[in-house]
Amino acid sequence: MTELIITEKPMAALKIATALGDSKPIKKTKGKSVYYEITRNKKEILVGCAVGHLFGLAEKIKSKWGTYPIFDIEWKPKADIDKNAKYTKSYVTLLKQLGKKADEFTVATDYDLEGAVIGANIIREALKLKDAKRMKFSTLTKDELNDSYTNASKHLDFNMIDAGETRHYLDWFYGINITSALSTSVKTATGRFKILSSGRVQSPTLKIIVDKEKEIKKFKPETYWEVYLDGLHKKEIILAKHKDDKIFDKKRKNEILKNTKNKPAKVSKLNEIKKNQNPPTPFDLTSLQIEAFRHLRISPKESSQVAQELYISGLISYPRTSSQKLPKSINYKKILKGLSKSYKKETAELLKKKTLKPNEGKKSDPAHPAIYPTGEKGSLSGKNARLYDLIVHRFLAVFGEPAIRLTVSAQINVNKEIFTLAGTTTIKPGWHTLYGKYAKFKEEEIPKMKEGDEIKVKKIQDEEKETQPPARYSQASIIKQMDKLTLGTKSTRALIIDT
């Protein structure tokens, strides 16, 4: 008996062959394509691979440009419909050849909608089969791959395949037909040919950005004033702002200045509030992209690509997930021990705990858990090292204790005009120490005061300002908005923004 295992990428094929084989896999090359031969319990296994999508949607019968609407489409080899995908032809040819040698077939592409479609197309279009076994895994570690192989499903996940294909069909129907309609109308109106690209996700995202731009252009600045008290408490400088904050009435601003001129100032009220700040939730892809942009200035598209490379290298779990949950089946202590050489202080703190319970978020994903490091060793540099460090610190932080932040606020009475100042400090860092440099919080302490203390007023003055237009979306904030509106998918949003 010979089995063919089909993976999504060449690196995944090597990882799976290495994990499942009784000995080192034998690498075979045919043209530009590779596959691996292994033996497992005397059974011969061939591990072949795709390079992403080997098949794409196209018209059954090619029509001339500008014809729309078109709904008669089918799956065809990408090499036949895209001149930039000619390299995929050798992979299809090789998989067909390997299929003739095999008696059993197992799909081991990524367990998501895209992976489901990639695997199904190879089984149906290239190998002319109706079904196959299905491996499901979230990391490319030896233990999980062996478990995934041993417990592989007897059938493909047809619900997932249908969902993935439906999305491809809708993308094609909307994108191609609306693009044709727009481009044809421009040519009819102007006599010039110009492609106006449209898409099921692309167009609504563009509308969100355009609407924001219209809002910015319509914006008319308004003048307002803020009134400040610059003074001393004993020998410490204080700067307090009038409680009215933004004052749009000039008469009211002048009234405050008049009421407070040469008048004594006293602390009339003090308030202290302690708040628990819970640890962050585990990363899903969207929150990882947002944090990577905020802390590392890595674009959403790049962070998605780098995370995929870290996954393929076996260093993190599958990144294209919408889950903020870490199941109990993950061996937290084993991962922490694996990380201990590089993150000795942080892991030592956590390994002392009797129980490790992550602070989980609300979102879940039926296919994959939240993103987490596997604890495997790896040599990294550049953006890969920086993103990996962020992922590790986030994983550590979710097991931390709540931090405690203290906010102290004071009211200063100047002839019944109230000025306020406040400061917030961390009095118990908790999970901040585990998140390290990524736990950035403003620490602002006000002088120690008592009610009734006198404040020496140096000056009370106003500052004229103008209201500002709403900010444009950043790459991170538009990803967040798309996620909020469930526009696009976790894996495609960054590509849409890039487009």
Side-chain angles (χ1 to χ4, degrees):
M1 293 287 284
T2 300
E3 181 177 8
L4 173 62
I5 297 178
I6 300 154
T7 71
E8 194 162 319
K9 296 282 176 66
M11 183 61 80
L14 175 58
K15 282 276 180 184
I16 290 171
T18 304
L20 301 184
D22 292 331
S23 57
K24 189 176 179 181
I26 300 168
K27 182 179 180 180
K28 298 280 187 175
T29 305
K30 285 212 170 183
K32 293 181 180 179
S33 308
V34 298
Y35 72 98
Y36 297 91
E37 292 181 353
I38 59 172
T39 303
R40 182 182 175 91
N41 299 328
K42 297 182 180 180
K43 181 181 182 180
E44 185 183 349
I45 299 176
L46 308 172
V47 185
C49 66
V51 274
H53 285 282
L54 298 182
F55 294 84
L57 288 170
E59 291 179 75
K60 286 183 180 178
I61 301 171
K62 183 73 175 172
S63 58
K64 67 176 183 178
W65 171 254
T67 303
Y68 68 89
I70 296 166
F71 298 106
D72 197 13
I73 59 177
E74 64 182 358
W75 291 100
K76 292 183 179 181
K78 282 198 81 174
D80 294 345
I81 57 179
D82 182 358
K83 63 181 180 182
N84 294 318
K86 295 294 181 188
Y87 65 93
T88 62
K89 186 174 183 179
S90 64
Y91 287 88
V92 174
T93 302
L94 177 57
L95 287 169
K96 286 179 179 179
Q97 291 170 353
L98 296 176
K100 290 176 182 177
K101 299 179 182 180
D103 309 291
E104 292 181 38
F105 300 86
T106 299
V107 172
T109 52
D110 292 342
Y111 193 66
D112 62 4
L113 296 186
E114 292 306 303
V117 172
I118 291 167
N121 276 332
I122 292 170
I123 291 296
R124 292 182 310 204
E125 305 296 330
L127 304 179
K128 305 302 179 185
L129 300 169
K130 291 182 179 180
D131 200 0
K133 291 193 292 182
R134 182 61 157 116
M135 286 173 63
K136 304 173 186 178
F137 48 86
S138 293
T139 68
L140 289 171
T141 57
K142 185 173 182 177
D143 287 350
E144 186 165 353
L145 289 172
N146 273 283
D147 184 64
S148 173
Y149 178 81
T150 302
N151 298 296
S153 301
K154 292 181 180 179
H155 303 283
L156 297 176
D157 190 328
F158 290 103
N159 287 337
M160 189 176 272
I161 292 165
D162 288 344
E165 287 195 314
T166 299
R167 198 177 78 198
H168 276 273
Y169 278 103
L170 287 173
D171 283 343
W172 201 98
F173 290 149
Y174 190 105
I176 296 295
N177 287 317
I178 303 297
T179 296
S180 294
L182 286 171
S183 304
T184 304
S185 65
V186 168
K187 187 178 180 184
T188 302
T190 66
R192 296 178 183 177
F193 176 74
K194 184 177 178 65
I195 293 179
L196 282 183
S197 177
S198 179
R200 185 176 58 87
V201 179
Q202 176 188 324
S203 297
T205 304
L206 181 60
K207 184 184 186 300
I208 292 169
I209 295 168
V210 169
D211 286 348
K212 178 69 76 175
E213 197 63 24
K214 287 178 178 178
E215 193 181 344
I216 291 168
K217 286 183 177 178
K218 283 180 182 177
F219 180 81
K220 291 181 180 179
E222 250 185 293
T223 300
Y224 68 92
W225 294 265
E226 290 175 347
V227 180
Y228 293 94
L229 183 157
D230 185 359
L232 292 172
H233 175 262
K234 298 178 181 176
K235 291 184 179 180
E236 292 187 86
I237 296 170
I238 64 164
L239 185 67
K241 185 161 66 166
H242 195 275
K243 68 177 181 65
D244 286 357
D245 193 21
K246 294 178 180 178
I247 302 162
F248 291 91
D249 186 347
K250 192 173 184 179
K251 287 183 181 178
R252 173 61 183 142
K253 181 264 296 184
N254 289 334
E255 182 183 47
I256 294 168
L257 294 175
K258 183 181 176 182
N259 289 345
T260 56
K261 189 174 182 181
N262 299 323
K263 300 295 182 183
K266 283 189 177 182
V267 178
S268 59
K269 190 176 180 181
L270 284 170
N271 192 34
E272 290 188 0
I273 298 174
K274 284 184 185 178
K275 278 189 178 179
N276 275 10
Q277 188 185 47
N278 287 327
T281 56
F283 276 140
D284 61 343
L285 180 60
T286 300
S287 57
L288 172 62
Q289 289 171 320
I290 290 168
E291 283 286 271
F293 187 79
R294 186 160 74 96
H295 293 294
L296 307 175
R297 284 294 172 232
I298 298 176
S299 73
K301 182 185 176 185
E302 282 183 303
S303 57
S304 182
Q305 290 171 339
V306 172
Q308 185 68 12
E309 289 170 17
L310 294 173
Y311 161 68
I312 291 293
S313 300
L315 298 177
I316 67 168
S317 63
Y318 189 65
R320 293 200 288 269
T321 175
S322 55
S323 177
Q324 295 174 324
K325 297 182 185 297
L326 293 171
K328 292 177 182 177
S329 58
I330 295 169
N331 192 331
Y332 304 142
K333 285 199 171 182
K334 184 181 177 182
I335 293 170
L336 291 171
K337 286 174 182 175
L339 296 171
S340 61
K341 287 188 178 179
S342 301
Y343 300 89
K344 188 175 181 180
K345 185 181 176 182
E346 298 95 327
T347 52
E349 180 184 330
L350 291 175
L351 286 168
K352 288 176 188 174
K353 289 189 165 195
K354 288 183 180 178
T355 57
L356 289 166
K357 187 178 179 182
N359 181 45
E360 297 181 313
K362 293 179 180 179
K363 294 198 292 182
S364 61
D365 187 319
H368 297 283
I371 300 167
Y372 63 92
T374 61
E376 300 277 312
K377 296 176 184 176
S379 180
L380 297 170
S381 61
K383 289 178 182 176
N384 292 51
R386 287 157 58 207
L387 193 71
Y388 177 73
D389 185 67
L390 174 61
I391 291 168
V392 169
H393 276 97
R394 182 66 161 231
F395 176 74
L396 298 171
V398 302
F399 295 102
E401 297 297 321
I404 299 175
R405 301 263 285 166
L406 173 67
T407 299
V408 180
S409 58
Q411 290 187 3
I412 298 168
N413 190 323
V414 187
N415 194 24
K416 296 183 180 179
E417 296 290 356
I418 304 299
F419 292 79
T420 64
L421 71 157
T424 302
T425 55
T426 302
I427 58 174
K428 182 184 173 185
W431 62 269
H432 291 189
T433 58
L434 297 168
Y435 207 27
K437 62 186 177 182
Y438 308 110
K440 291 182 179 178
F441 299 98
K442 194 174 181 180
E443 301 288 331
E444 200 169 19
E445 192 172 6
I446 67 172
K448 288 183 172 59
M449 304 175 181
K450 299 193 300 292
E451 289 183 11
D453 282 359
E454 289 190 6
I455 300 295
K456 184 180 178 182
V457 179
K458 290 165 68 178
K459 60 183 175 182
I460 293 176
Q461 63 181 18
D462 66 280
E463 190 175 329
E464 186 177 313
K465 295 183 178 181
E466 279 191 343
T467 52
Q468 298 299 307
R472 289 186 175 95
Y473 287 107
S474 68
Q475 290 195 48
S477 63
I478 189 64
I479 282 265
K480 191 173 182 179
Q481 183 68 3
M482 290 170 77
D483 183 53
K484 182 181 174 183
L485 298 172
T486 61
L487 190 56
T489 68
K490 51 195 173 282
S491 56
T492 60
R493 287 175 188 132
L495 296 172
I496 292 294
I497 291 167
D498 198 54
T499 301

